[in-house]
Amino acid sequence: MSFERTFASESLLALSQDLLGVAGFDGRIQEANPALERTLGFTLGDLRRLPLLDLIHPDDRESARAAFEQSARTEANGASLTNRCRCWDGAYKWLDWRLTASPEKRVYYVAARDVTHQRALHVELLQ
């Protein structure tokens, strides 16, 4: 089942600076807002062809998989995680994710923020 678009949902998706998307329980991205496309450099068509976990850095995949499983089990609370996500050019960006599952629709709703710059500043301050 896919996300139903309306004028209101289209407007909200387009206005948000946060990265928003819907992924099926099969791991495939079904919908993504322009901020997600801009940040990662993939078009929605590209994203629909890629399993979401394929975008996650290999060292971060197991924790991402666990967060999705937790979200599916605890629908009301969702899950959060921070990991590296691959961009179209092969570079990685650090993203803070929040996600929640809708078992009856068999989808995850995801929201993320690019925290790459903040992490770099934090590392710089530690040095």
Side-chain angles (χ1 to χ4, degrees):
M1 174 176 247
S2 66
F3 178 72
E4 233 178 89
R5 287 185 178 244
T6 64
F7 177 74
S9 66
E10 282 287 330
S11 298
L12 287 172
L13 288 171
L15 286 173
S16 179
Q17 293 181 22
D18 287 334
L19 289 61
L20 304 173
V22 179
F25 273 20
D26 63 357
R28 300 263 176 207
I29 296 170
Q30 295 177 1
E31 296 295 335
N33 73 335
L36 197 146
E37 293 177 272
R38 267 191 316 275
T39 301
L40 299 182
F42 290 100
T43 66
L44 179 56
D46 295 331
L47 291 169
R48 284 183 172 158
R49 287 188 288 277
L50 296 168
L52 182 58
L53 285 176
D54 283 2
L55 297 174
I56 306 299
H57 190 282
D59 294 343
D60 301 336
R61 282 189 189 143
E62 194 51 45
S63 63
R65 188 182 332 274
F68 276 89
E69 289 171 3
Q70 174 193 349
S71 176
R73 286 192 310 271
T74 58
E75 176 184 347
N77 297 329
S80 62
L81 69 149
T82 301
N83 61 26
R84 292 162 286 184
C85 195
R86 181 172 51 89
C87 299
W88 181 84
D89 64 2
Y92 282 89
K93 292 191 178 187
W94 283 96
L95 300 180
D96 275 342
W97 295 88
R98 292 278 306 145
L99 57 123
T100 190
S102 175
E104 65 279 356
K105 293 184 179 181
R106 301 198 42 80
V107 297
Y108 296 99
Y109 298 102
V110 299
R113 289 197 174 156
D114 182 355
V115 294
T116 306
H117 183 70
Q118 292 89 328
R119 286 187 70 99
L121 287 175
H122 180 73
V123 168
E124 191 175 315
L125 285 172
L126 290 175
Q127 293 173 356

